[in-house]
Amino acid sequence: LSTPALPQRRSRVRQYLPTLILLGLAVHLLLPQLTTLEHSLQVIKEMAWWAVALAVLAQLLCYVSNGYLIRSLAALTKRRLSIPLGMAITLGAASVGLVAGGVVGSTAAILHWTRKHNIGRTGALVIGWLPATLNTTLLLIISIASLINLLILGDLTPMQLTIFRVALALLVAAGGLILWGARHQPALIMLAKTLAARWAALRKRPYNPAVIQETITRLYTIWANLRAGGWRAPLAGALFIVTFDILTLYFLFIAAGYVITFETLLAGYGLALFLGKVTLLPNGIGVVEGTMAALYSSLGVPKAVAVLVILAYRILSLWIPTVIGFPIAAILQHIDPRTK
């Protein structure tokens, strides 16, 4: 009786094995830093709470910037979304992604909720993937600059360097595909149809090539709008997001009584968050914290300060928004503005 279930069990093991391996690596990076938490308690007693308040304000402005970015992307499709609604969608989608499929789950939630507000399928796709793409690209730029600095100083571990090289190669390949597709629309449509047909066959789902062609055609229209000047507002929104997020981390270092240099701040921030993006773990849990702690410690930041600041940063930028995002996701899921 148990024989038919064996292939299914093996399939589940293969499905979750990469995530478990990555989670194990994350724990391996993080655990050595936890021994300094006892020393961090003394730092907490001496924290400048005015600087903590500025960190909270910076993180709030980070989410306002997310709302602005979503509104600017909706405007490319001649639709209107308010900044508060964009903030709500960002918070809700992040919470969904944490428990249901990471980037895939959060993107699916964004697609569903934006289409409820009269955003077409193409606009929803752009709002779903472009913010993450812009954010990852900016983190990559920061990471490359930081990587050059770390290589000069000799402070990059072989494992971090290997992961970065693989991730960089993947992103370069993706960027090359985008540039090629921008100049070869018929070939891109044919490639997309072929891949969609194979994916549908693998999942045993129906396949409609007309939908693929229509979607890509509309994406080319939006791409033309971006090239004609529509890129300014989305890029400004993405820059605001990263800037306020970096300021959150900076003010927490100030609160802990440590004056950090700009180069050190960016070195620990960009590379750690970039690695967290590409390791497929939801929000890079474990990888971001462990990598940040290792990098800042290697750059001369006291371990007690580094661990405290990193945990406080993740509480402000990840865990508090996640807790807030769950009820927001429930509200977005059950409210349909089209019925009003």
Side-chain angles (χ1 to χ4, degrees), residues 25-336:
L25 289 173
V27 172
H28 174 73
L29 286 170
L30 186 60
L31 281 180
Q33 311 301 330
L34 296 182
T35 57
T36 62
L37 282 178
E38 183 178 350
H39 301 288
S40 299
L41 294 177
Q42 183 62 33
V43 179
I44 293 177
K45 296 177 182 179
E46 301 173 357
M47 290 188 75
W49 294 104
W50 61 268
V52 175
L54 288 177
V56 173
L57 177 61
Q59 193 58 214
L60 176 61
L61 291 174
C62 182
Y63 276 89
V64 172
S65 301
N66 272 285
Y68 172 78
L69 174 57
I70 289 183
R71 188 188 73 169
S72 66
L73 292 174
L76 291 175
T77 62
K78 310 300 180 184
R79 299 291 191 272
R80 292 178 60 88
L81 281 180
S82 67
I83 290 179
L85 180 57
M87 293 172 60
I89 290 174
T90 300
L91 287 165
S95 299
V96 170
L98 186 65
V99 298
V103 175
V104 175
S106 61
T107 302
I110 292 173
L111 291 175
H112 179 63
W113 294 332
T114 51
R115 295 193 71 183
K116 279 186 175 183
H117 291 269
N118 296 319
I119 302 296
R121 177 177 176 83
T122 304
L125 284 171
V126 172
I127 293 173
W129 65 263
L130 193 55
T133 302
L134 287 172
N135 181 260
T136 304
T137 302
L138 291 175
L139 289 176
L140 176 61
I141 293 172
I142 295 173
S143 298
I144 291 174
S146 301
L147 177 65
I148 294 172
N149 185 48
L150 290 172
L151 286 174
I152 293 173
L153 298 176
D155 289 318
L156 198 66
T157 67
M159 184 180 70
Q160 291 166 349
L161 182 58
T162 300
I163 294 175
F164 184 83
R165 284 173 173 170
V166 173
L168 181 60
L170 292 174
L171 281 178
V172 168
L177 178 62
I178 291 173
L179 292 175
W180 172 80
R183 298 186 177 184
H184 302 85
Q185 181 175 350
L188 180 63
I189 292 175
M190 184 63 65
L191 176 62
K193 286 181 178 180
T194 301
L195 294 175
R198 292 180 179 178
W199 178 245
L202 184 64
R203 300 174 62 202
K204 298 181 180 179
R205 298 288 181 85
Y207 162 66
N208 187 351
V211 173
I212 301 296
Q213 180 157 349
E214 180 183 2
T215 299
I216 294 180
T217 301
R218 290 182 179 179
L219 287 175
Y220 271 97
T221 301
I222 293 176
W223 173 252
N225 291 336
L226 288 171
R227 294 185 63 185
W231 56 269
R232 292 186 178 90
L235 180 59
L239 287 171
F240 286 144
I241 292 169
V242 173
T243 299
F244 287 123
D245 201 42
I246 292 173
L247 283 175
T248 301
L249 192 60
Y250 172 75
F251 285 129
L252 289 172
F253 272 112
I254 297 299
Y258 185 83
V259 181
I260 191 168
T261 65
F262 181 73
E263 293 82 3
T264 302
L265 178 69
L266 291 187
Y269 174 86
L271 188 58
L273 287 179
F274 178 75
L275 293 178
K277 291 275 187 184
V278 300
T279 49
L280 304 181
L281 288 173
N283 292 292
I285 294 176
V287 173
V288 172
E289 293 86 349
T291 304
M292 268 192 180
L295 285 171
Y296 282 133
S297 296
S298 68
L299 292 171
V301 179
K303 284 189 176 182
V305 172
V307 171
L308 174 63
V309 167
I310 292 163
L311 292 180
Y313 165 72
R314 292 293 271 175
I315 288 172
L316 287 179
S317 64
L318 173 60
W319 295 112
I320 290 178
T322 297
V323 172
I324 296 173
F326 281 122
I328 291 176
I331 293 172
L332 291 172
Q333 187 68 19
H334 289 94
I335 291 182
D336 191 343

